[in-house]
PDB file of all heavy atoms in Angstrom:
ATOM      1  N   TYR P 165      24.273 -17.881   7.521  1.00  0.00           N
ATOM      2  CA  TYR P 165      23.467 -17.383   8.555  1.00  0.00           C
ATOM      3  C   TYR P 165      24.212 -17.407   9.902  1.00  0.00           C
ATOM      4  O   TYR P 165      23.704 -17.116  10.977  1.00  0.00           O
ATOM      5  CB  TYR P 165      22.276 -18.231   8.854  1.00  0.00           C
ATOM      6  CG  TYR P 165      22.541 -19.736   8.589  1.00  0.00           C
ATOM      7  CD1 TYR P 165      23.032 -20.550   9.627  1.00  0.00           C
ATOM      8  CD2 TYR P 165      22.171 -20.215   7.392  1.00  0.00           C
ATOM      9  CE1 TYR P 165      23.246 -21.824   9.312  1.00  0.00           C
ATOM     10  CE2 TYR P 165      22.398 -21.598   7.109  1.00  0.00           C
ATOM     11  CZ  TYR P 165      22.993 -22.463   8.047  1.00  0.00           C
ATOM     12  OH  TYR P 165      23.281 -23.790   7.845  1.00  0.00           O
ATOM     13  N   ALA P 166      25.712 -17.448   9.794  1.00  0.00           N
ATOM     14  CA  ALA P 166      26.484 -17.551  11.056  1.00  0.00           C
ATOM     15  C   ALA P 166      27.268 -16.261  11.093  1.00  0.00           C
ATOM     16  O   ALA P 166      27.804 -15.710  10.110  1.00  0.00           O
ATOM     17  CB  ALA P 166      27.556 -18.734  10.886  1.00  0.00           C
ATOM     18  N   ASP P 167      27.349 -15.681  12.306  1.00  0.00           N
ATOM     19  CA  ASP P 167      28.201 -14.441  12.511  1.00  0.00           C
ATOM     20  C   ASP P 167      29.620 -14.946  12.610  1.00  0.00           C
ATOM     21  O   ASP P 167      30.057 -15.452  13.648  1.00  0.00           O
ATOM     22  CB  ASP P 167      27.788 -13.778  13.738  1.00  0.00           C
ATOM     23  CG  ASP P 167      28.501 -12.448  14.105  1.00  0.00           C
ATOM     24  OD1 ASP P 167      29.500 -12.245  13.283  1.00  0.00           O
ATOM     25  OD2 ASP P 167      28.104 -11.721  14.903  1.00  0.00           O
ATOM     26  N   SER P 168      30.473 -14.715  11.536  1.00  0.00           N
ATOM     27  CA  SER P 168      31.817 -15.321  11.560  1.00  0.00           C
ATOM     28  C   SER P 168      32.793 -14.615  12.496  1.00  0.00           C
ATOM     29  O   SER P 168      33.897 -14.997  12.666  1.00  0.00           O
ATOM     30  CB  SER P 168      32.320 -15.237  10.156  1.00  0.00           C
ATOM     31  OG  SER P 168      32.401 -13.881   9.612  1.00  0.00           O
ATOM     32  N   SER P 169      32.385 -13.407  13.068  1.00  0.00           N
ATOM     33  CA  SER P 169      33.233 -12.721  14.005  1.00  0.00           C
ATOM     34  C   SER P 169      32.875 -13.087  15.437  1.00  0.00           C
ATOM     35  O   SER P 169      33.505 -12.782  16.421  1.00  0.00           O
ATOM     36  CB  SER P 169      32.954 -11.147  13.864  1.00  0.00           C
ATOM     37  OG  SER P 169      31.548 -10.879  14.339  1.00  0.00           O
ATOM     38  N   ARG P 170      31.881 -14.118  15.579  1.00  0.00           N
ATOM     39  CA  ARG P 170      31.432 -14.584  17.007  1.00  0.00           C
ATOM     40  C   ARG P 170      31.428 -16.074  17.012  1.00  0.00           C
ATOM     41  O   ARG P 170      30.561 -16.730  17.244  1.00  0.00           O
ATOM     42  CB  ARG P 170      30.302 -13.851  17.458  1.00  0.00           C
ATOM     43  CG  ARG P 170      30.205 -12.389  17.572  1.00  0.00           C
ATOM     44  CD  ARG P 170      28.804 -11.861  18.059  1.00  0.00           C
ATOM     45  NE  ARG P 170      28.457 -12.369  19.321  1.00  0.00           N
ATOM     46  CZ  ARG P 170      27.279 -12.424  19.770  1.00  0.00           C
ATOM     47  NH1 ARG P 170      26.294 -11.785  19.069  1.00  0.00           N
ATOM     48  NH2 ARG P 170      26.953 -12.789  21.019  1.00  0.00           N
ATOM     49  N   ILE P 171      32.580 -16.691  16.572  1.00  0.00           N
ATOM     50  CA  ILE P 171      32.609 -18.102  16.627  1.00  0.00           C
ATOM     51  C   ILE P 171      33.614 -18.469  17.843  1.00  0.00           C
ATOM     52  O   ILE P 171      34.737 -18.255  17.940  1.00  0.00           O
ATOM     53  CB  ILE P 171      33.221 -18.810  15.329  1.00  0.00           C
ATOM     54  CG1 ILE P 171      32.465 -18.363  14.145  1.00  0.00           C
ATOM     55  CG2 ILE P 171      33.366 -20.193  15.463  1.00  0.00           C
ATOM     56  CD1 ILE P 171      33.097 -18.684  12.800  1.00  0.00           C
ATOM     57  N   SER P 172      32.862 -19.184  18.896  1.00  0.00           N
ATOM     58  CA  SER P 172      33.525 -19.723  20.007  1.00  0.00           C
ATOM     59  C   SER P 172      33.776 -21.178  20.136  1.00  0.00           C
ATOM     60  O   SER P 172      33.061 -21.786  19.365  1.00  0.00           O
ATOM     61  CB  SER P 172      32.743 -19.194  21.144  1.00  0.00           C
ATOM     62  OG  SER P 172      32.630 -17.738  21.324  1.00  0.00           O
ATOM     63  N   LEU P 173      34.674 -21.562  20.982  1.00  0.00           N
ATOM     64  CA  LEU P 173      34.978 -22.973  21.100  1.00  0.00           C
ATOM     65  C   LEU P 173      34.779 -23.491  22.639  1.00  0.00           C
ATOM     66  O   LEU P 173      35.150 -22.656  23.415  1.00  0.00           O
ATOM     67  CB  LEU P 173      36.410 -23.293  20.674  1.00  0.00           C
ATOM     68  CG  LEU P 173      36.740 -23.079  19.100  1.00  0.00           C
ATOM     69  CD1 LEU P 173      38.322 -22.946  18.986  1.00  0.00           C
ATOM     70  CD2 LEU P 173      36.311 -24.357  18.465  1.00  0.00           C
ATOM     71  N   MET P 174      34.271 -24.569  22.712  1.00  0.00           N
ATOM     72  CA  MET P 174      34.152 -25.141  24.016  1.00  0.00           C
ATOM     73  C   MET P 174      34.685 -26.520  24.002  1.00  0.00           C
ATOM     74  O   MET P 174      34.344 -27.391  23.166  1.00  0.00           O
ATOM     75  CB  MET P 174      32.664 -25.188  24.621  1.00  0.00           C
ATOM     76  CG  MET P 174      32.555 -25.933  25.834  1.00  0.00           C
ATOM     77  SD  MET P 174      30.898 -26.190  26.380  1.00  0.00           S
ATOM     78  CE  MET P 174      30.536 -24.591  27.051  1.00  0.00           C
ATOM     79  N   GLY P 175      35.670 -26.822  24.788  1.00  0.00           N
ATOM     80  CA  GLY P 175      36.373 -28.229  24.876  1.00  0.00           C
ATOM     81  C   GLY P 175      36.097 -28.960  26.192  1.00  0.00           C
ATOM     82  O   GLY P 175      36.315 -28.371  27.271  1.00  0.00           O
ATOM     83  N   PHE P 176      35.438 -30.007  26.052  1.00  0.00           N
ATOM     84  CA  PHE P 176      35.058 -30.800  27.282  1.00  0.00           C
ATOM     85  C   PHE P 176      35.943 -32.005  27.294  1.00  0.00           C
ATOM     86  O   PHE P 176      36.122 -32.785  26.420  1.00  0.00           O
ATOM     87  CB  PHE P 176      33.613 -31.190  27.254  1.00  0.00           C
ATOM     88  CG  PHE P 176      33.201 -32.192  28.310  1.00  0.00           C
ATOM     89  CD1 PHE P 176      33.248 -31.841  29.673  1.00  0.00           C
ATOM     90  CD2 PHE P 176      32.783 -33.467  28.046  1.00  0.00           C
ATOM     91  CE1 PHE P 176      32.876 -32.784  30.742  1.00  0.00           C
ATOM     92  CE2 PHE P 176      32.472 -34.427  29.090  1.00  0.00           C
ATOM     93  CZ  PHE P 176      32.444 -34.027  30.399  1.00  0.00           C
ATOM     94  N   SER P 177      36.653 -32.343  28.381  1.00  0.00           N
ATOM     95  CA  SER P 177      37.607 -33.379  28.645  1.00  0.00           C
ATOM     96  C   SER P 177      38.625 -33.324  27.599  1.00  0.00           C
ATOM     97  O   SER P 177      39.347 -32.524  27.283  1.00  0.00           O
ATOM     98  CB  SER P 177      36.794 -34.584  28.789  1.00  0.00           C
ATOM     99  OG  SER P 177      37.513 -35.746  29.097  1.00  0.00           O
ATOM    100  N   ARG P 178      38.754 -34.507  26.807  1.00  0.00           N
ATOM    101  CA  ARG P 178      39.699 -34.645  25.707  1.00  0.00           C
ATOM    102  C   ARG P 178      39.544 -33.621  24.616  1.00  0.00           C
ATOM    103  O   ARG P 178      40.371 -33.250  23.699  1.00  0.00           O
ATOM    104  CB  ARG P 178      39.898 -36.026  25.180  1.00  0.00           C
ATOM    105  CG  ARG P 178      38.561 -36.662  24.333  1.00  0.00           C
ATOM    106  CD  ARG P 178      38.247 -36.301  22.940  1.00  0.00           C
ATOM    107  NE  ARG P 178      39.166 -36.603  22.157  1.00  0.00           N
ATOM    108  CZ  ARG P 178      39.001 -37.511  21.281  1.00  0.00           C
ATOM    109  NH1 ARG P 178      38.150 -38.414  21.382  1.00  0.00           N
ATOM    110  NH2 ARG P 178      39.974 -37.718  20.222  1.00  0.00           N
ATOM    111  N   GLY P 179      38.168 -33.012  24.528  1.00  0.00           N
ATOM    112  CA  GLY P 179      37.913 -32.000  23.500  1.00  0.00           C
ATOM    113  C   GLY P 179      38.765 -30.750  23.758  1.00  0.00           C
ATOM    114  O   GLY P 179      38.843 -30.000  22.812  1.00  0.00           O
ATOM    115  N   ALA P 180      39.233 -30.553  24.995  1.00  0.00           N
ATOM    116  CA  ALA P 180      39.968 -29.403  25.214  1.00  0.00           C
ATOM    117  C   ALA P 180      41.287 -29.365  24.351  1.00  0.00           C
ATOM    118  O   ALA P 180      41.837 -28.299  24.068  1.00  0.00           O
ATOM    119  CB  ALA P 180      40.443 -29.291  26.652  1.00  0.00           C
ATOM    120  N   ILE P 181      41.857 -30.542  24.060  1.00  0.00           N
ATOM    121  CA  ILE P 181      43.005 -30.712  23.224  1.00  0.00           C
ATOM    122  C   ILE P 181      42.716 -29.969  21.807  1.00  0.00           C
ATOM    123  O   ILE P 181      43.534 -29.133  21.398  1.00  0.00           O
ATOM    124  CB  ILE P 181      43.510 -32.093  22.967  1.00  0.00           C
ATOM    125  CG1 ILE P 181      43.778 -32.751  24.406  1.00  0.00           C
ATOM    126  CG2 ILE P 181      44.721 -32.123  22.081  1.00  0.00           C
ATOM    127  CD1 ILE P 181      44.104 -34.225  24.311  1.00  0.00           C
ATOM    128  N   ASN P 182      41.652 -30.434  21.289  1.00  0.00           N
ATOM    129  CA  ASN P 182      41.241 -30.026  19.942  1.00  0.00           C
ATOM    130  C   ASN P 182      40.723 -28.509  19.947  1.00  0.00           C
ATOM    131  O   ASN P 182      41.121 -27.706  19.061  1.00  0.00           O
ATOM    132  CB  ASN P 182      40.162 -30.822  19.339  1.00  0.00           C
ATOM    133  CG  ASN P 182      40.442 -32.239  19.015  1.00  0.00           C
ATOM    134  OD1 ASN P 182      41.644 -32.599  19.173  1.00  0.00           O
ATOM    135  ND2 ASN P 182      39.534 -33.086  18.838  1.00  0.00           N
ATOM    136  N   ALA P 183      40.082 -28.127  21.015  1.00  0.00           N
ATOM    137  CA  ALA P 183      39.773 -26.717  21.160  1.00  0.00           C
ATOM    138  C   ALA P 183      41.019 -25.800  21.354  1.00  0.00           C
ATOM    139  O   ALA P 183      40.893 -24.758  20.584  1.00  0.00           O
ATOM    140  CB  ALA P 183      38.732 -26.547  22.406  1.00  0.00           C
ATOM    141  N   VAL P 184      41.887 -26.076  22.143  1.00  0.00           N
ATOM    142  CA  VAL P 184      43.070 -25.234  22.272  1.00  0.00           C
ATOM    143  C   VAL P 184      43.881 -25.093  21.001  1.00  0.00           C
ATOM    144  O   VAL P 184      44.171 -24.058  20.632  1.00  0.00           O
ATOM    145  CB  VAL P 184      43.800 -25.782  23.589  1.00  0.00           C
ATOM    146  CG1 VAL P 184      45.240 -24.973  23.451  1.00  0.00           C
ATOM    147  CG2 VAL P 184      43.128 -25.421  24.772  1.00  0.00           C
ATOM    148  N   HIS P 185      44.110 -26.212  20.394  1.00  0.00           N
ATOM    149  CA  HIS P 185      44.904 -26.199  19.126  1.00  0.00           C
ATOM    150  C   HIS P 185      44.191 -25.406  18.132  1.00  0.00           C
ATOM    151  O   HIS P 185      44.820 -24.850  17.286  1.00  0.00           O
ATOM    152  CB  HIS P 185      45.144 -27.774  18.645  1.00  0.00           C
ATOM    153  CG  HIS P 185      46.446 -28.318  19.302  1.00  0.00           C
ATOM    154  ND1 HIS P 185      47.633 -28.294  18.746  1.00  0.00           N
ATOM    155  CD2 HIS P 185      46.325 -29.018  20.396  1.00  0.00           C
ATOM    156  CE1 HIS P 185      48.489 -28.847  19.638  1.00  0.00           C
ATOM    157  NE2 HIS P 185      47.835 -29.362  20.571  1.00  0.00           N
ATOM    158  N   THR P 186      42.914 -25.517  17.934  1.00  0.00           N
ATOM    159  CA  THR P 186      42.065 -24.753  17.004  1.00  0.00           C
ATOM    160  C   THR P 186      42.094 -23.291  17.350  1.00  0.00           C
ATOM    161  O   THR P 186      42.295 -22.420  16.396  1.00  0.00           O
ATOM    162  CB  THR P 186      40.637 -25.217  16.852  1.00  0.00           C
ATOM    163  OG1 THR P 186      40.590 -26.692  16.592  1.00  0.00           O
ATOM    164  CG2 THR P 186      39.918 -24.521  15.782  1.00  0.00           C
ATOM    165  N   ALA P 187      42.043 -22.954  18.551  1.00  0.00           N
ATOM    166  CA  ALA P 187      42.065 -21.595  18.953  1.00  0.00           C
ATOM    167  C   ALA P 187      43.459 -20.901  18.613  1.00  0.00           C
ATOM    168  O   ALA P 187      43.553 -19.801  18.366  1.00  0.00           O
ATOM    169  CB  ALA P 187      41.704 -21.444  20.484  1.00  0.00           C
ATOM    170  N   THR P 188      44.479 -21.642  18.870  1.00  0.00           N
ATOM    171  CA  THR P 188      45.792 -21.119  18.705  1.00  0.00           C
ATOM    172  C   THR P 188      45.992 -21.007  17.007  1.00  0.00           C
ATOM    173  O   THR P 188      46.804 -20.138  16.629  1.00  0.00           O
ATOM    174  CB  THR P 188      46.971 -21.976  19.255  1.00  0.00           C
ATOM    175  OG1 THR P 188      46.692 -23.366  18.901  1.00  0.00           O
ATOM    176  CG2 THR P 188      46.862 -21.910  20.723  1.00  0.00           C
ATOM    177  N   PHE P 189      45.468 -21.927  16.361  1.00  0.00           N
ATOM    178  CA  PHE P 189      45.611 -21.948  14.798  1.00  0.00           C
ATOM    179  C   PHE P 189      44.866 -20.679  14.248  1.00  0.00           C
ATOM    180  O   PHE P 189      45.411 -20.029  13.377  1.00  0.00           O
ATOM    181  CB  PHE P 189      45.087 -23.195  14.275  1.00  0.00           C
ATOM    182  CG  PHE P 189      45.337 -23.374  12.894  1.00  0.00           C
ATOM    183  CD1 PHE P 189      46.627 -23.911  12.320  1.00  0.00           C
ATOM    184  CD2 PHE P 189      44.477 -23.065  11.880  1.00  0.00           C
ATOM    185  CE1 PHE P 189      46.881 -24.106  11.045  1.00  0.00           C
ATOM    186  CE2 PHE P 189      44.697 -23.218  10.622  1.00  0.00           C
ATOM    187  CZ  PHE P 189      45.804 -23.815  10.149  1.00  0.00           C
ATOM    188  N   PHE P 190      43.690 -20.463  14.773  1.00  0.00           N
ATOM    189  CA  PHE P 190      42.835 -19.212  14.291  1.00  0.00           C
ATOM    190  C   PHE P 190      42.917 -18.239  15.334  1.00  0.00           C
ATOM    191  O   PHE P 190      41.974 -17.688  15.792  1.00  0.00           O
ATOM    192  CB  PHE P 190      41.366 -19.635  14.097  1.00  0.00           C
ATOM    193  CG  PHE P 190      41.182 -20.761  12.950  1.00  0.00           C
ATOM    194  CD1 PHE P 190      41.090 -22.040  13.345  1.00  0.00           C
ATOM    195  CD2 PHE P 190      41.165 -20.283  11.631  1.00  0.00           C
ATOM    196  CE1 PHE P 190      40.844 -23.031  12.214  1.00  0.00           C
ATOM    197  CE2 PHE P 190      41.115 -21.223  10.644  1.00  0.00           C
ATOM    198  CZ  PHE P 190      40.849 -22.656  10.838  1.00  0.00           C
ATOM    199  N   ASN P 191      44.091 -17.749  15.670  1.00  0.00           N
ATOM    200  CA  ASN P 191      44.407 -16.706  16.717  1.00  0.00           C
ATOM    201  C   ASN P 191      44.668 -15.372  16.126  1.00  0.00           C
ATOM    202  O   ASN P 191      44.821 -14.384  16.807  1.00  0.00           O
ATOM    203  CB  ASN P 191      45.407 -17.174  17.530  1.00  0.00           C
ATOM    204  CG  ASN P 191      45.542 -16.414  18.780  1.00  0.00           C
ATOM    205  OD1 ASN P 191      44.622 -16.056  19.386  1.00  0.00           O
ATOM    206  ND2 ASN P 191      46.789 -16.022  19.267  1.00  0.00           N
ATOM    207  N   GLU P 192      44.594 -15.191  14.769  1.00  0.00           N
ATOM    208  CA  GLU P 192      44.976 -13.895  14.148  1.00  0.00           C
ATOM    209  C   GLU P 192      44.008 -13.578  12.976  1.00  0.00           C
ATOM    210  O   GLU P 192      43.233 -14.520  12.612  1.00  0.00           O
ATOM    211  CB  GLU P 192      46.331 -13.785  13.667  1.00  0.00           C
ATOM    212  CG  GLU P 192      47.360 -14.057  14.801  1.00  0.00           C
ATOM    213  CD  GLU P 192      48.798 -13.857  14.097  1.00  0.00           C
ATOM    214  OE1 GLU P 192      49.012 -13.891  12.977  1.00  0.00           O
ATOM    215  OE2 GLU P 192      49.802 -13.984  15.073  1.00  0.00           O
ATOM    216  N   GLY P 193      43.933 -12.417  12.632  1.00  0.00           N
ATOM    217  CA  GLY P 193      43.019 -12.048  11.517  1.00  0.00           C
ATOM    218  C   GLY P 193      41.755 -11.539  11.840  1.00  0.00           C
ATOM    219  O   GLY P 193      41.386 -11.755  13.211  1.00  0.00           O
ATOM    220  N   PRO P 194      40.847 -11.217  11.018  1.00  0.00           N
ATOM    221  CA  PRO P 194      39.555 -10.621  11.339  1.00  0.00           C
ATOM    222  C   PRO P 194      38.543 -11.678  11.883  1.00  0.00           C
ATOM    223  O   PRO P 194      37.582 -11.424  12.552  1.00  0.00           O
ATOM    224  CB  PRO P 194      39.028 -10.050  10.113  1.00  0.00           C
ATOM    225  CG  PRO P 194      39.700 -10.797   8.936  1.00  0.00           C
ATOM    226  CD  PRO P 194      41.173 -11.076   9.563  1.00  0.00           C
ATOM    227  N   HIS P 195      38.758 -13.020  11.639  1.00  0.00           N
ATOM    228  CA  HIS P 195      37.904 -14.039  12.036  1.00  0.00           C
ATOM    229  C   HIS P 195      38.554 -14.995  13.049  1.00  0.00           C
ATOM    230  O   HIS P 195      38.332 -16.208  12.813  1.00  0.00           O
ATOM    231  CB  HIS P 195      37.294 -14.746  10.803  1.00  0.00           C
ATOM    232  CG  HIS P 195      36.568 -13.853   9.804  1.00  0.00           C
ATOM    233  ND1 HIS P 195      35.520 -13.026  10.207  1.00  0.00           N
ATOM    234  CD2 HIS P 195      36.714 -13.616   8.538  1.00  0.00           C
ATOM    235  CE1 HIS P 195      35.166 -12.306   9.078  1.00  0.00           C
ATOM    236  NE2 HIS P 195      35.880 -12.666   8.137  1.00  0.00           N
ATOM    237  N   HIS P 196      39.217 -14.439  13.949  1.00  0.00           N
ATOM    238  CA  HIS P 196      40.015 -15.417  14.995  1.00  0.00           C
ATOM    239  C   HIS P 196      38.803 -15.794  15.807  1.00  0.00           C
ATOM    240  O   HIS P 196      37.645 -15.296  15.888  1.00  0.00           O
ATOM    241  CB  HIS P 196      40.973 -14.586  15.799  1.00  0.00           C
ATOM    242  CG  HIS P 196      40.617 -13.262  16.339  1.00  0.00           C
ATOM    243  ND1 HIS P 196      39.883 -13.356  17.528  1.00  0.00           N
ATOM    244  CD2 HIS P 196      40.500 -12.047  16.032  1.00  0.00           C
ATOM    245  CE1 HIS P 196      39.504 -12.106  17.948  1.00  0.00           C
ATOM    246  NE2 HIS P 196      39.896 -11.223  16.996  1.00  0.00           N
TER     247      HIS P 196
END
Side-chain angles (χ1 to χ4, degrees):
Y165 38 82
D167 183 349
S168 60
S169 66
R170 296 180 64 195
I171 302 175
S172 300
L173 291 161
M174 173 184 285
F176 173 64
S177 189
R178 65 74 69 95
I181 301 173
N182 294 350
V184 169
H185 277 268
T186 302
T188 55
F189 188 83
F190 295 101
N191 193 38
E192 297 180 353
H195 301 304
H196 58 81

